[in-house]
Amino acid sequence: MEAKLAFPQDSPPLAILCAAKVAGVSLTIDPKLASGSAPTLHLGSGDFIHGVNTILRYIARVASVTSFYGQDAIQAAYVDQWLDYAPVILSGSEFEAACSFLDGYLASRTFLVSYGLSIADIVVWSNLVGTGQRWESLRRSKKYQNLVRWFNSIADYSDTLDEVVSAYVGKRGIGKSPAPSLKEKLPDSKQNLSTPEVDLPGAKVGEVCVRFAPEPSGYLHIGHAKAGLLNKYFAERYKGRLIVRFDDTNPSKESNEFVENVLKDVETLGIKYDIVTYTSDYFPQLMEMAEKLIKQGKAYVDDTPKEQMRSERMDGVESKCRNNTVQDNLSLWKEMINGTERGMQCCVRGKLDMQDPNKSLRDPVYYRCNTDPHHRVGSQYKVYPTYDFACPFVDALEGVTNALRSSEYHDRNAQYYRILQEMGLRRVEIYEFSRLNMVYTVLSKRKLLWFVQNKKVEDWTDPRFPTVQGIVRRGLKVEALVQFILEQGASKNLNLMEWDKLWTINKKIIDPVCGRHTAVLKDQRVLFTLTNGPEEPFIRVLPRHKKYEGAGKKATTFTNKIWLESADASVISIGEEVTLMDWGNAIIKEIKTENGIITELLGELHLEGSVKMTKLKLTWLPDIEDLVSLSLVEFDYLIKKKKLEEDEDFLDNLNPCTRQEFSALGDANMRNLKQGEIIQLERKGYYRCDAPFIRSSKPIVLFAIPDGRQKPATN
């Protein structure tokens, strides 16, 4: 690949030049841009990319170095953080503090991100080099040995880096690195640059095996995403194995639809696994273990009615069946296996300790009858293991070393270890993390299923749902979800998280790159006639994003009759000068009303007027037939209370209005929107295209994306 890099001679983008060398991108240098301009990469295809970080990300993606932009979405998010922070922390008063931080950060690392060279290493390295003597003095002082070790290893990576350094860096360095082209607000330089490292007790590199074990009884939601990403984190950190295992032990709730969509969600989250397994793969071994425990007197068959059994467990009262003979238990076990009327009255319980203060150890149920067909094995079985019985068994059998469980299972950890002991299997270490709870949200799959079955939502992908597919359909970028979850790390502290924080992260990702368009509400618009406007409509080609040329172009039609929002028209005064965005100024000459309602504005263009002097900056649409119909959809929380207490029923706290649609007209360029594309409607907000243009009689459907500031009515 060949390209031309244009930049100001007084501030060569060292990070880009070094990255291109390592990536094998051949650059023709054109150092003739005006001072202060951001660099531009001109491609052989005629396309061009503008801005330091945008160019760096492009180089990272086309590089022959496999790990250059990380190996998945999580690592790419880390790389992005380093791209943003490095020019700031390494080029000012924070320089030595940044070096100190990097020295500590690299104490147990070879590279900044994961286990291979990435563009993050090149950017930080080039920023250090770019300070010239300032870095060389610190380097010789041996004050930061870990940082120097890392720096030297990068320098040794490619001899070609010396060519760049000698060409562009003098004793005084190259000055401050160019700011990111999109001028995003950079985070505080003292902020941690990645999730704090968390250790698994007793874990050894290369010997760790973890598992992500969802039940196929629904789609993955944001809470499952946290569990999946943490398992992925530990598998990568310890160079271990990750198993995705479906805990399919309840045929009444499970289906192949859920299996397929869970795997789809796992892929969306960038979770790379070694193997997919099913608890049902081990049904024969599980049944053998249950029978073995019965024969050893460690389990018994109980026909106590369900409610009575629950009451006896709470009170520590032993079942009348607890002392059945082994022969009687085996006889009833056979009845259960055959699904007879007698067997259906029974369950298998572990004989642990009915007096234990921890009630989970009071003879838990191991097996129960269920005649519903299983989504994988059909009607082969009439008995199924409980999660409490199957999970430790399969964990041990599959070689899992560390089982990650949310802290809501804390009281059951003793049960997990005890059952492993009863089975005579090796110990599997449990690692706890806090469950992710979100405001105004239920995460129970049973409750989410209620919304689906009662048609309160479309399906599991509804934008009001906290499922991975739901929030992505709402307009959330997966990178934002990954960053949000990893910022929490593996904390054991219970937190009720705000959605606003997640949507704020999302905005920072979508705003710099999404195209801009214009819309006015159909039943809330006013015609503005420009008496000196163009006699014939004309078209100008404008950028869809003024600061990001990668968003493409749009054709804007200029006419002497345009549409304004009624809300804007209502605050305009006769004689007032206003600015029509992307056009210029106009002066209001007349306001026509009917029954107190504004029906039309008359005015004149005043294009020589200063936009800095006007109070109102107005969006507008030309009065032409090519405008497209839009359906703007806004959503609210399904629950009207921020946090439901344990004794509160979610059905008593349903939000009566969670979806609103508004008919609007949009600029003709929106005919080209693709499903899933994210745009900004000027002065309205961000939207995701859920249904693109098909025909004029059918509106384009746009879902409003929260930006972290807009508060739903329930707040």
Side-chain angles (χ1 to χ4, degrees):
M1 193 201 90
E2 292 189 0
K4 181 176 76 172
L5 179 66
F7 56 85
Q9 189 169 8
D10 62 352
S11 57
L14 193 62
I16 295 174
L17 295 163
C18 290
K21 282 288 186 182
V22 175
V25 176
S26 178
L27 293 180
T28 301
I29 303 304
D30 180 17
K32 296 178 182 178
L33 288 184
S35 181
S37 300
T40 300
L41 185 69
H42 297 269
L43 305 177
S45 62
D47 295 317
F48 59 93
I49 303 168
H50 188 65
V52 175
N53 284 0
T54 310
I55 296 172
L56 285 169
R57 291 184 179 100
Y58 173 76
I59 292 174
R61 289 188 175 101
V62 300
S64 57
V65 183
T66 56
S67 61
F68 220 32
Y69 201 30
Q71 296 178 332
D72 55 37
I74 297 175
Q75 292 178 15
Y78 284 159
V79 170
D80 285 339
Q81 286 181 306
W82 285 107
L83 295 188
D84 286 340
Y85 300 161
V88 179
I89 64 176
L90 294 174
S91 60
S93 60
E94 299 287 341
F95 179 78
E96 188 147 347
C99 289
S100 178
F101 171 81
L102 284 165
D103 187 68
Y105 185 83
L106 290 163
S108 59
R109 291 176 170 85
T110 304
F111 300 98
L112 290 174
V113 178
S114 191
Y115 305 104
L117 181 79
S118 73
I119 202 164
D121 297 288
I122 301 300
V123 170
V124 175
W125 186 90
S126 59
N127 273 275
L128 285 170
V129 169
T131 63
Q133 196 64 38
R134 191 176 188 187
W135 162 244
E136 285 303 318
S137 297
L138 280 177
R139 186 182 179 189
R140 287 194 298 270
S141 72
K142 298 182 180 181
K143 187 174 181 180
Y144 304 117
Q145 294 186 9
N146 296 317
L147 180 56
V148 170
R149 166 187 52 77
W150 166 85
F151 180 91
N152 292 339
S153 71
I154 303 301
D156 293 339
Y157 184 84
S158 174
D159 294 334
T160 56
L161 292 179
D162 291 335
E163 297 176 24
V164 179
V165 174
S166 59
Y168 295 101
V169 182
K171 288 186 177 181
R172 293 186 178 182
I174 60 170
K176 293 182 179 179
S177 298
S181 63
L182 302 177
K183 299 181 182 178
E184 300 108 327
K185 184 179 179 182
L186 291 167
D188 189 313
S189 62
K190 297 179 183 177
Q191 180 178 330
N192 287 338
L193 301 185
S194 69
T195 303
E197 296 249 336
V198 182
D199 291 318
L200 286 175
K204 296 180 181 179
V205 174
E207 298 180 11
V208 166
C209 178
V210 292
R211 49 70 169 159
F212 175 46
E215 181 185 0
S217 57
Y219 290 34
L220 290 191
H221 58 56
I222 191 169
H224 299 125
K226 178 176 181 179
L229 289 169
L230 285 175
N231 274 285
K232 175 182 184 294
Y233 166 80
F234 284 122
E236 289 182 347
R237 175 160 183 219
Y238 288 95
K239 298 183 180 179
R241 298 177 68 242
L242 171 57
I243 299 169
V244 171
R245 181 203 308 148
F246 286 99
D247 177 40
D248 55 344
T249 60
N250 188 349
S252 301
K253 296 182 178 180
E254 299 157 1
S255 71
N256 285 321
E257 175 201 351
F258 294 140
V259 171
E260 292 165 4
N261 280 282
V262 166
L263 289 174
K264 178 180 178 180
D265 295 338
V266 165
E267 182 178 357
T268 297
L269 293 169
I271 297 173
K272 296 180 181 178
Y273 49 83
D274 292 274
I275 189 172
V276 174
T277 66
Y278 300 80
T279 299
S280 55
D281 294 336
Y282 304 96
F283 279 173
Q285 295 98 312
L286 283 159
M287 290 181 68
E288 288 175 10
M289 176 57 72
E291 189 163 319
K292 176 182 175 182
L293 294 177
I294 290 172
K295 289 178 178 178
Q296 292 176 344
K298 294 180 178 180
Y300 61 97
V301 179
D302 194 350
D303 62 359
T304 302
K306 189 175 181 179
E307 290 303 318
Q308 181 182 339
M309 185 185 300
R310 181 179 288 114
S311 176
E312 289 178 351
R313 288 191 69 194
M314 291 298 293
D315 297 335
V317 176
E318 292 186 0
S319 166
K320 65 182 188 318
C321 302
R322 198 171 198 269
N323 296 314
N324 284 353
T325 65
V326 170
Q327 198 57 45
D328 287 343
N329 285 325
L330 289 173
S331 177
L332 288 172
W333 170 239
K334 187 175 181 180
E335 296 282 344
M336 288 179 64
I337 292 173
N338 293 328
T340 65
E341 184 178 351
R342 178 75 178 110
M344 294 293 291
Q345 300 169 350
C346 301
C347 67
V348 177
R349 296 176 67 181
K351 190 183 289 188
L352 302 185
D353 186 353
M354 286 299 293
Q355 306 305 316
D356 198 293
N358 184 337
K359 293 184 174 68
S360 74
L361 291 169
R362 295 182 181 179
D363 292 8
V365 175
Y366 286 172
Y367 256 90
R368 74 280 199 224
C369 288
N370 191 331
T371 56
D372 290 342
H374 189 277
H375 67 98
R376 291 188 75 229
V377 297
S379 300
Q380 182 178 351
Y381 298 98
K382 302 294 188 294
V383 291
Y384 292 91
T386 60
Y387 174 84
D388 291 337
F389 183 75
C391 185
F393 178 85
V394 180
D395 281 347
L397 213 61
E398 289 190 332
V400 172
T401 58
N402 302 83
L404 272 65
R405 308 216 311 184
S406 63
S407 52
E408 64 186 303
Y409 289 102
H410 177 77
D411 290 344
R412 306 174 87 89
N413 291 350
Q415 180 201 77
Y416 180 95
Y417 290 131
R418 177 67 183 275
I419 290 176
L420 279 175
Q421 186 179 340
E422 294 287 300
M423 292 175 173
L425 299 175
R426 65 174 181 82
R427 183 179 174 91
V428 178
E429 294 296 335
I430 291 175
Y431 185 88
E432 285 188 336
F433 61 91
S434 64
R435 172 181 169 142
L436 179 59
N437 295 302
M438 306 295 295
V439 295
Y440 301 108
T441 304
V442 293
L443 293 177
S444 160
K445 283 192 281 188
R446 175 183 62 82
K447 295 173 182 176
L448 294 176
L449 181 62
W450 181 90
F451 282 99
V452 175
Q453 292 177 335
N454 288 275
K455 303 192 184 305
K456 300 294 183 182
V457 294
E458 292 178 31
D459 53 28
W460 289 87
T461 72
D462 191 285
R464 292 162 288 188
F465 253 19
T467 54
V468 172
Q469 293 185 46
I471 54 181
V472 167
R473 190 177 171 201
R474 181 87 176 262
L476 188 79
K477 303 296 286 185
V478 173
E479 302 96 298
L481 178 60
V482 171
Q483 184 178 336
F484 174 73
I485 288 173
L486 290 182
E487 280 182 1
Q488 300 168 51
S491 168
K492 297 179 177 63
N493 297 324
L494 292 174
N495 291 312
L496 185 65
M497 302 299 295
E498 297 280 350
W499 283 101
D500 285 351
K501 183 177 181 182
L502 176 57
W503 292 116
T504 297
I505 295 172
N506 193 60
K507 178 187 175 182
K508 291 179 180 178
I509 293 173
I510 64 176
D511 179 75
V513 295
C514 68
R516 270 55 170 170
H517 290 273
T518 304
V520 296
L521 297 176
K522 257 185 185 176
D523 57 353
Q524 297 178 38
R525 57 191 167 122
V526 173
L527 192 66
F528 184 12
T529 300
L530 299 163
T531 55
N532 64 340
E535 293 183 6
E536 294 294 329
F538 67 92
I539 295 174
R540 285 181 186 156
V541 177
L542 302 174
R544 288 179 75 212
H545 190 308
K546 290 183 175 65
K547 297 179 181 178
Y548 177 58
E549 298 192 31
K553 307 286 185 181
K554 61 182 178 182
T556 300
T557 302
F558 296 79
T559 62
N560 57 16
K561 291 183 182 290
I562 62 176
W563 293 108
L564 301 181
E565 292 273 10
S566 296
D568 289 335
S570 67
V571 297
I572 293 175
S573 305
I574 293 177
E576 183 174 2
E577 187 165 356
V578 299
T579 296
L580 303 174
M581 293 174 64
D582 290 331
W583 195 347
N585 288 2
I587 299 173
I588 310 302
K589 295 297 186 179
E590 184 180 350
I591 300 176
K592 295 183 178 182
T593 62
E594 187 175 318
N595 298 323
I597 298 174
I598 299 175
T599 56
E600 187 180 359
L601 300 177
L602 298 178
E604 296 178 353
L605 286 172
H606 185 231
L607 300 182
E608 62 271 23
S610 172
V611 298
K612 295 180 180 179
M613 303 301 292
T614 58
K615 178 182 176 183
L616 297 175
K617 310 293 191 285
L618 307 179
T619 47
W620 56 275
L621 285 176
D623 181 20
I624 57 175
E625 292 184 358
D626 285 344
L627 299 182
V628 295
S629 294
L630 306 175
S631 177
L632 307 182
V633 187
E634 295 182 0
F635 300 101
D636 201 351
Y637 301 117
L638 294 169
I639 301 296
K640 61 185 180 182
K641 190 170 182 184
K642 195 167 189 177
K643 179 184 179 183
L644 292 178
E645 302 301 330
E646 289 188 12
D647 59 346
E648 288 186 291
D649 190 341
F650 77 100
L651 295 175
D652 296 330
N653 289 277
L654 298 180
N655 192 349
C657 181
T658 60
R659 177 186 173 114
Q660 287 183 291
E661 292 189 43
F662 303 91
S663 295
L665 293 174
D667 64 71
N669 300 277
M670 295 170 74
R671 294 172 185 266
N672 301 320
L673 292 180
K674 298 179 176 60
Q675 185 177 29
E677 185 173 351
I678 290 175
I679 63 170
Q680 183 185 46
L681 294 181
E682 300 277 15
R683 299 175 64 226
K684 289 188 181 296
Y686 303 95
Y687 290 81
R688 177 191 174 276
C689 180
D690 192 64
F693 181 83
I694 299 176
R695 55 183 179 274
S696 299
S697 60
K698 195 167 185 178
I700 297 169
V701 179
L702 300 178
F703 288 170
I705 305 172
D707 63 4
R709 294 184 296 113
Q710 300 164 344
K711 304 293 183 182
T714 47
N715 277 8

